[in-house]
Amino acid sequence: MKTLLPILGALLVTSCASLPPPAIVVATHETASPTDQGGRVGSPAIWSGGLVNEPGLVRSGFIASAARGDSLVIHDLEGRVIQRVAGAPVTDLDVAVLPLADSYALVVAAARRRSGQTSLVLFRLDRGADQEVRPWGEVATDLSRPAGLCMRQVRGVLTAVILDGRGQVLQFAVEEAPSGAPALRETRRFRVPNAGPGCAIDPGGRLFVSHRRRGFWSIPLDPSASPIPVHLVPGTPRNVPRSIGVAFLNDRQGPYLTSLDHDRKGFSVWRLERAGLNWAGRFSVLDGPGGPAVRSPGGIDALGGGMGSFPGGLVVVQDEANDGAPNLKYIDWTAVKEALGL
């Protein structure tokens, strides 16, 4: 055993050293640090806004993140804190539209690990001029420590997926009960082998889960599909970063996945094509022109299309080591594409 350890260490170093160097992009905005609350920001989720007939956050868009001092922190598209939602800490955020009988609401979902139990936690933002994100409900699960959560409206149903470190996956339909409380209906449960952290859902209802060694699993979110097909997306090249966390992004050039790399020194971009998956390169983020690089990234979310001062799309990454003041960095998706030659 003593002779194997140095060899194994050398192999790991060689593997990390063989990763391609990242292209450089510059963050244009950052969030105010929440250290006055004794907390840390992380697990970002973007709501794009753009609903022109609505006032407030539903129209303007926002970034939701998790903090130890609160359950959620809500930021505007310039990085300012506009709301704190008190409560126990959560992780792995996502946001989507909940269709109602004659209206809709926005739902922010998160995972919570407390007293050895993992729960799916829901927050809600209703239409109207006086909009605030509020706690909506919490549903206990039998999962071990959470490893990812993602959510999207699929064929008119708000679908939430949560997975744990064993690769066990629970799929829920999120609805509103007559009382106004959340009603979560478990529609499937299955296991993904060699599952890594993170998941994302595309508009067509495909679930992407990181693979521990290469690429991503692809699973259709059709509750009637049995047996459940779990496929490794073809075309993943060797010697590219493994992913720890993933987000789906769509723009005029096509659909992409963005992910945090396993060496935590960069973020990868993957183009989804008919033939499979095409790794497009990776990038690292500078904290402003001439500033230091994001040294300890811990999360990512991304959206294509115009958002405030980001007409081509927005990428938000978590910086866990910004001189003792963790925060979020906002990056123009157009700058990422230019850096990678897309």
Side-chain angles (χ1 to χ4, degrees), residues 22 25 40-44 197 241-245 259-268 282-287 292-301 315-323 326-329 331:
V25 297
R40 97 178 230 228
V41 168
S43 307
R242 301 188 306 277
S243 299
I244 47 175
S259 61
L260 172 61
D261 295 338
H262 71 274
D263 65 351
R264 292 186 179 269
K265 294 181 179 179
F267 302 87
S268 279
R282 65 189 211 136
F283 65 94
S284 63
V285 181
L286 293 185
D287 183 9
V294 173
R295 299 191 299 276
S296 184
I300 184 170
D301 198 13
V315 179
V316 175
V317 303
Q318 173 191 342
D319 183 2
E320 293 183 345
N322 183 32
D323 296 326
N327 60 6
L328 303 177
K329 310 294 186 189
I331 302 103

Side-chain angles (χ1 to χ4, degrees), residues 175-288:
E175 300 166 337
E176 182 186 54
S179 64
L184 269 69
R185 178 167 45 89
E186 183 181 316
T187 56
R188 287 197 307 180
R189 62 170 56 213
F190 53 95
R191 185 177 179 275
V192 177
N194 294 310
C199 66
I201 303 171
D202 76 1
R206 281 189 302 171
L207 172 69
F208 295 95
V209 176
S210 299
H211 190 284
R212 285 181 182 172
R213 292 191 293 272
R214 57 188 297 255
F216 302 90
W217 295 107
S218 174
I219 306 105
L221 289 180
D222 180 359
S224 65
S226 182
I228 298 168
V230 179
H231 302 294
L232 187 66
V233 182
T236 305
R238 302 283 183 177
N239 301 319
V240 298
R242 301 188 306 277
S243 299
I244 47 175
V246 58
F248 177 85
L249 179 148
N250 205 357
D251 71 4
R252 294 177 181 177
Q253 278 69 49
Y256 297 89
L257 298 178
T258 58
S259 61
L260 172 61
D261 295 338
H262 71 274
D263 65 351
R264 292 186 179 269
K265 294 181 179 179
F267 302 87
S268 279
V269 175
W270 312 75
R271 192 198 299 268
L272 288 163
E273 300 173 343
R274 288 187 178 181
L277 194 65
N278 179 26
W279 186 73
R282 65 189 211 136
F283 65 94
S284 63
V285 181
L286 293 185
D287 183 9

Side-chain angles (χ1 to χ4, degrees), residues 35-249:
T35 52
D36 59 318
Q37 296 289 315
R40 97 178 230 228
V41 168
S43 307
I46 305 172
W47 169 248
S48 61
L51 301 178
V52 296
N53 295 324
E54 295 293 341
L57 293 178
V58 172
R59 177 177 180 177
S60 62
F62 61 87
I63 314 298
S65 64
R68 251 178 222 157
D70 302 281
S71 276
L72 295 182
V73 180
I74 307 299
H75 310 268
D76 66 14
L77 298 185
E78 302 298 318
R80 292 181 291 264
V81 174
I82 55 179
Q83 186 186 349
R84 297 183 186 275
V85 184
V90 294
T91 61
D92 302 304
L93 306 183
D94 209 350
V95 59
V97 175
L98 170 69
L100 303 174
D102 56 356
S103 184
Y104 62 87
L106 296 186
V107 173
V108 180
R112 175 176 287 155
R113 180 73 170 172
R114 184 166 55 178
S115 301
Q117 186 176 55
T118 291
S119 298
L120 179 64
V121 185
L122 299 176
F123 304 84
R124 178 165 167 163
L125 175 66
D126 289 296
R127 301 168 60 189
D130 187 20
Q131 294 174 359
E132 283 196 343
V133 178
R134 59 182 175 86
W136 192 34
E138 182 171 351
V139 176
T141 75
D142 57 1
L143 297 181
S144 65
R145 186 171 299 277
L149 181 145
C150 46
M151 185 170 60
R152 185 180 285 270
Q153 189 181 147
V154 178
R155 289 181 281 277
V157 177
L158 181 55
T159 300
V161 171
I162 184 171
L163 68 148
D164 66 14
R166 303 169 301 178
Q168 185 68 33
V169 179
L170 297 184
Q171 179 178 334
F172 295 93
V174 182
E175 300 166 337
E176 182 186 54
S179 64
L184 269 69
R185 178 167 45 89
E186 183 181 316
T187 56
R188 287 197 307 180
R189 62 170 56 213
F190 53 95
R191 185 177 179 275
V192 177
N194 294 310
C199 66
I201 303 171
D202 76 1
R206 281 189 302 171
L207 172 69
F208 295 95
V209 176
S210 299
H211 190 284
R212 285 181 182 172
R213 292 191 293 272
R214 57 188 297 255
F216 302 90
W217 295 107
S218 174
I219 306 105
L221 289 180
D222 180 359
S224 65
S226 182
I228 298 168
V230 179
H231 302 294
L232 187 66
V233 182
T236 305
R238 302 283 183 177
N239 301 319
V240 298
R242 301 188 306 277
S243 299
I244 47 175
V246 58
F248 177 85
L249 179 148

